[in-house]
Amino acid sequence: MTRAHLAQLARDALRYPGRLALAMVLAWGVCVTVWRFHSGLGAVTHLSDGMPWGLWIGFDVLCGVALAAGGFSVMALVHLFGLTRLRPIVPATVLTAFLGYILVSVGLLYDLGKPYNMWHVFIMHNPRSVMFEVAWCVILYTTVLAIEFSGLVVERLHWRRAVAFLGRLTVPAVLAGVLLSTLHQSSLGTLFLIVPGKLYKLWYSPYLPLMFFFSALAVGFAMVIFESYLSAFVFGRSLEREILVDLARILLVTVVFYLGIKLEDLYARDAIGALFEARPETYCFWLELALLAVPAALLAFERVRWSQDATFLCATMVVLGVVINRLNVSLVGTYAASGSAYWPSFQELSVSVFLVTAGVLAFGLAVRFLGIFDAHAESAVPAEHDACRECV
Amino acid sequence: MIETTPAATGATVEPVGLLIDATRCIGCQECVRACKAEHGLPEPIGPDLNSTTYTVVVKRAGQYSRRLCMHCIDPTCVSVCPVAALRKQPGGQVTYDADACMGCRYCVFACPFNVPRYEWDKPRPVVAKSDLCVSRTSRGHQTACSWVCPMGATVSGPRSRMLAEARERIRLNPERYVDHVYGETEAGGTSVLILSGVPFDTAGYPRDVSQRPLPETTWRVLEKLPYVVLNGGIFLGGLAWIIHRRMVFQRHPELLDDLPPKGEKP
Ligand code: SF4
Ligand code: SF4
């Protein structure tokens, strides 16, 4: 490389600070990756025997799976419940879900002490283990998503035969996806049922599985709104307004429902008093509640639902609320009982940022090349095809 | 993994127990050293359990408390391990197979007694905890720690006998002991039983441990999942079918002309 090249590179870097930052995040991510696999978990994380699960489980895995939940709920609405009006959001949600689950799997590789033994779940069974059940569901569901995603790709490529073949798989795949998601979304909550003595009473509840499921449902819809709005900014493409308003309504209902069971549960367990104890856990719990109650209250107004900015704000709050919930359950809630100190290390944060960046990048590429938000994307399959498939 | 079925040992094994009487312990650390020798672990004794220290003896509230894996009767760690790397042997020992383990650390997270330790500094880490000297106890021998204890503060033998012995000691010397055998009901019962002269939480043993086996908490949910799949599948599939048929007829009313099938028209 000549000096002129280098100079050009430097000029480019200065001209596009965003790209420079991106390159730095990715390069540093690669460094930490090498570091982590060369020197072990202790070298790059602040994990300890008291806090054996940290940011990578709390954020990369728990939040990753929850934020990708739109994949099953939207697919169910469109393909099982016949809400064909929502069809234009299918590509974006399938893409989000597929990328999300890939990232979760990659995140797990970082977190597992012996990732090269991951395949053992295929040959060594322990049906009493929640982790075993989650592993199988995630593997199977990622396969389902791969089928749904390839449907998307072949549609764009106009491979008629493949489209027809995958089209016939759609309804069974969606049904399987809904069942598998119901299982593992809730089971991520079940994971924490085993620690009644460690998880703080604001979060430990026999209904954790239900709460994880319904919060995943809510945040799945919030993510669709969130992504659509941002894509409008970045790529100039977004969803139609009517659809976003529909989604806002669905979001409102799911958030209110989730909030409802959360509060009912506190009441049923006689834990309402814990809401007013001056402890760090209390503040974290209130933050979580506020990030759900405020958007719910706002979305109750027709004006808010019809304002794209306001709806986006509400969706963002719900996303944050659920993210905080997962961090609360996995980190904040077990912190006091663990007797050890934990704050994610810079390297742990780097890996999470690295994965999210890679995900956003992949999303952007897909939006550009697969026309994810093109409502009128020419499709090899006419819109009513789905319903007609059953025509005899 | 070591085979410890009754057939392999040639005897009907009664699950092993370990009775630790903290009031008799003089803190000589012989058991800790014996444990290290038995398992080929390097010297330095950690202040607490660590990846090379399966048991510790620490002074708490004027008494020496010994800690190690409790070898629960229905072990939480065994129930949570996705690849069954942790197993309950017929002889009562809870053993670990490092080759099977994938390092999820759910066992470390879930153990109600905070026992399992992880090799955080290794690129190929393993979980570390006591195996109740499975290679000795499965052949009817004592554990290394009870073998060396000069005060008889740790003794091993069938759990039922250890429990009877513990109760007897409390009955004979009620003023010497807290009236509770730690491990009799903790987490549904453990193979290791502990007697103490000071309350167990001040002696450094986790309090608030559930008195029921913890695997129940997750099994209650897991056992319902097949029904969720079955009933949910039928319900959703059926609903989808009804909705789709309606949509089809809405779009193609002419199809209704052929229905009901020919020959059955009134
Ligand atoms: S004390 Fe912990 S590590 Fe030992 S058997 Fe019980 S659950 Fe497993
Ligand atoms: S860390 Fe290993 S032994 Fe422990 S639960 Fe995970 S796979 Fe099983």
Side-chain angles (χ1 to χ4, degrees):
Chain A
M1 205 185 271
T2 65
R3 266 175 98 166
H5 275 118
L6 280 177
Q8 179 63 37
L9 214 64
R11 265 200 301 280
D12 280 356
L14 288 180
R15 188 141 13 115
Y16 303 109
R19 287 185 199 180
L20 180 67
L22 199 70
M24 275 163 57
V25 166
L26 295 181
W28 173 240
V30 172
C31 293
V32 178
T33 305
V34 174
W35 192 355
R36 180 258 169 271
F37 287 105
H38 178 265
S39 313
L41 284 165
V44 293
T45 69
H46 284 167
L47 296 174
S48 62
D49 292 318
M51 289 290 286
W53 285 355
L55 185 73
W56 290 348
I57 291 285
F59 182 76
D60 301 15
V61 176
L62 294 185
C63 295
V65 170
L67 298 188
F72 86 89
S73 47
V74 169
M75 289 303 262
L77 289 183
V78 173
H79 291 285
L80 299 184
F81 299 142
L83 277 175
T84 37
R85 232 147 68 81
L86 293 181
R87 185 178 285 276
I89 61 176
V90 163
T93 40
V94 169
L95 176 66
T96 311
F98 189 49
L99 286 177
Y101 276 82
I102 291 179
L103 288 182
V104 166
S105 314
V106 175
L108 256 182
L109 291 180
Y110 282 86
D111 187 76
L112 287 180
K114 295 181 167 198
Y116 45 88
N117 278 351
M118 210 171 172
W119 58 276
H120 282 177
V121 289
F122 290 115
I123 55 159
M124 300 167 178
H125 296 180
N126 181 11
R128 283 219 300 173
S129 164
V130 187
M131 186 77 82
F132 174 73
E133 188 253 324
V134 171
W136 267 96
C137 284
V138 169
I139 292 166
L140 293 176
Y141 184 53
T142 310
T143 316
V144 166
L145 283 171
I147 294 173
E148 291 173 354
F149 181 72
S150 47
L152 217 75
V153 176
V154 294
E155 227 174 79
R156 302 301 192 270
L157 294 174
H158 299 283
W159 290 359
R160 279 166 185 281
R161 279 252 207 87
V163 171
F165 173 70
L166 289 171
R168 232 165 296 139
L169 282 185
T170 307
V171 171
V174 169
L175 187 58
V178 173
L179 294 174
L180 289 167
S181 296
T182 309
L183 292 199
H184 73 263
Q185 293 285 2
S186 60
S187 291
L188 287 177
T190 316
L191 277 183
F192 294 89
L193 288 184
I194 202 88
V195 287
K198 295 184 187 175
L199 184 57
Y200 188 63
K201 58 184 175 226
L202 279 172
W203 292 287
Y204 188 89
S205 148
Y207 292 105
L208 264 179
L210 277 187
M211 291 185 202
F212 265 58
F213 175 75
F214 285 109
S215 53
L217 211 56
V219 81
F221 297 121
M223 277 301 279
V224 181
I225 300 176
F226 181 80
E227 284 163 8
S228 167
Y229 186 88
L230 287 186
S231 302
F233 256 107
V234 184
F235 309 105
R237 293 169 202 182
S238 76
L239 298 168
E240 285 163 31
R241 204 158 168 218
E242 283 73 15
I243 293 180
L244 287 172
V245 176
D246 270 350
L247 279 174
R249 273 190 210 108
I250 300 175
L251 178 62
L252 171 63
V253 173
T254 44
V255 169
V256 168
F257 187 81
Y258 171 54
L259 264 177
I261 49 175
K262 234 174 144 55
L263 295 176
E264 280 163 31
D265 164 67
L266 283 184
Y267 176 75
R269 288 189 294 114
D270 247 340
I272 296 274
L275 281 176
F276 306 103
E277 282 171 34
R279 294 174 56 108
E281 287 92 345
T282 315
Y283 311 132
C284 292
F285 191 82
W286 274 108
L287 179 63
E288 185 187 324
L289 281 190
L291 283 169
L292 296 166
V294 171
L298 288 176
L299 282 173
F301 294 97
E302 191 83 49
R303 277 249 301 284
V304 173
R305 292 196 298 268
W306 281 92
S307 149
Q308 303 230 4
D309 297 325
T311 310
F312 168 72
L313 195 73
C314 292
T316 313
M317 279 194 267
V318 173
V319 170
L320 284 177
V322 174
V323 166
I324 303 265
N325 168 259
R326 297 307 192 258
L327 295 178
N328 277 347
V329 171
S330 60
L331 303 176
V332 178
T334 55
Y335 193 83
S338 79
S340 16
Y342 175 80
W343 184 255
S345 69
F346 182 64
Q347 294 95 315
E348 279 176 275
L349 285 164
S350 310
V351 167
S352 296
V353 172
F354 173 60
L355 291 177
V356 171
T357 312
V360 172
L361 216 62
F363 189 84
L365 289 176
V367 168
R368 190 162 299 173
F369 294 111
L370 293 175
I372 292 300
F373 285 105
D374 298 353
H376 309 292
E378 309 155 58
S379 152
V381 198
E384 67 270 39
H385 178 90
D386 219 54
C388 294
R389 194 171 301 126
E390 256 91 320
C391 306
V392 194
Chain B
M1 197 187 298
I2 299 148
E3 269 307 321
T4 50
T5 56
T9 56
T12 8
V13 267
E14 214 205 311
V16 192
L18 204 63
L19 176 57
I20 298 172
D21 188 335
T23 64
R24 294 191 181 184
C25 177
I26 54 166
C28 66
Q29 309 286 336
E30 278 304 319
C31 53
V32 181
R33 274 189 284 274
C35 177
K36 291 225 170 209
E38 176 71 20
H39 297 96
L41 297 167
E43 241 320 294
I45 298 171
D48 193 2
L49 300 176
N50 62 33
S51 57
T52 58
T53 312
Y54 297 166
T55 182
V56 284
V57 174
V58 281
K59 190 153 193 174
R60 284 270 168 78
Q63 170 192 286
Y64 288 99
S65 307
R66 185 169 167 218
R67 283 198 64 202
L68 75 160
C69 168
M70 301 293 287
H71 295 273
C72 309
I73 290 171
D74 188 357
T76 310
C77 59
V78 170
S79 88
V80 300
C81 178
V83 292
L86 289 153
R87 278 175 202 260
K88 180 80 175 166
Q89 301 298 339
Q93 309 89 342
V94 177
T95 58
Y96 166 72
D97 178 1
D99 292 328
C101 171
M102 62 180 195
C104 66
R105 309 176 312 277
Y106 196 10
C107 53
V108 182
F109 180 69
C111 169
F113 301 100
N114 303 319
V115 166
R117 301 291 133 140
Y118 206 57
E119 286 186 316
W120 297 103
D121 46 354
K122 298 257 174 71
R124 294 166 155 252
V126 301
V127 172
K129 70 165 207 68
S130 147
D131 63 356
L132 203 58
C133 289
V134 65
S135 57
R136 302 166 64 110
T137 46
S138 62
R139 278 180 283 137
H141 300 309
Q142 292 192 43
T143 61
C145 51
S146 55
W147 178 250
V148 298
C149 181
M151 305 304 292
T154 298
V155 289
S156 60
R159 182 184 187 261
S160 53
R161 233 180 58 210
M162 294 296 110
L163 185 57
E165 168 79 25
R167 290 220 191 93
E168 185 66 6
R169 286 191 200 172
I170 295 178
R171 195 180 64 81
L172 291 177
N173 261 318
E175 68 292 341
R176 187 182 167 107
Y177 296 105
V178 173
D179 186 15
H180 178 64
V181 183
Y182 192 85
E184 183 180 357
T185 52
E186 272 74 15
T190 63
S191 309
V192 174
L193 301 167
I194 300 170
L195 289 176
S196 168
V198 298
F200 284 94
D201 48 345
T202 40
Y205 297 102
R207 50 191 166 142
D208 298 341
V209 176
S210 159
Q211 301 297 303
R212 306 274 319 147
L214 286 153
E216 284 177 359
T217 56
T218 46
W219 184 245
R220 265 200 293 271
V221 178
L222 284 179
E223 68 177 350
K224 300 202 178 84
L225 295 187
Y227 306 106
V228 171
V229 173
L230 206 66
N231 302 343
I234 294 171
F235 179 74
L236 282 179
L239 204 62
W241 176 67
I242 294 172
I243 292 173
H244 278 227
R245 292 299 286 174
R246 288 190 51 138
M247 284 166 67
V248 168
F249 291 135
Q250 235 164 38
R251 216 165 254 137
H252 308 284
E254 71 280 4
L255 283 174
L256 280 170
D257 300 342
D258 289 343
L259 289 173
K262 283 198 182 65
E264 285 179 29
K265 273 189 186 158

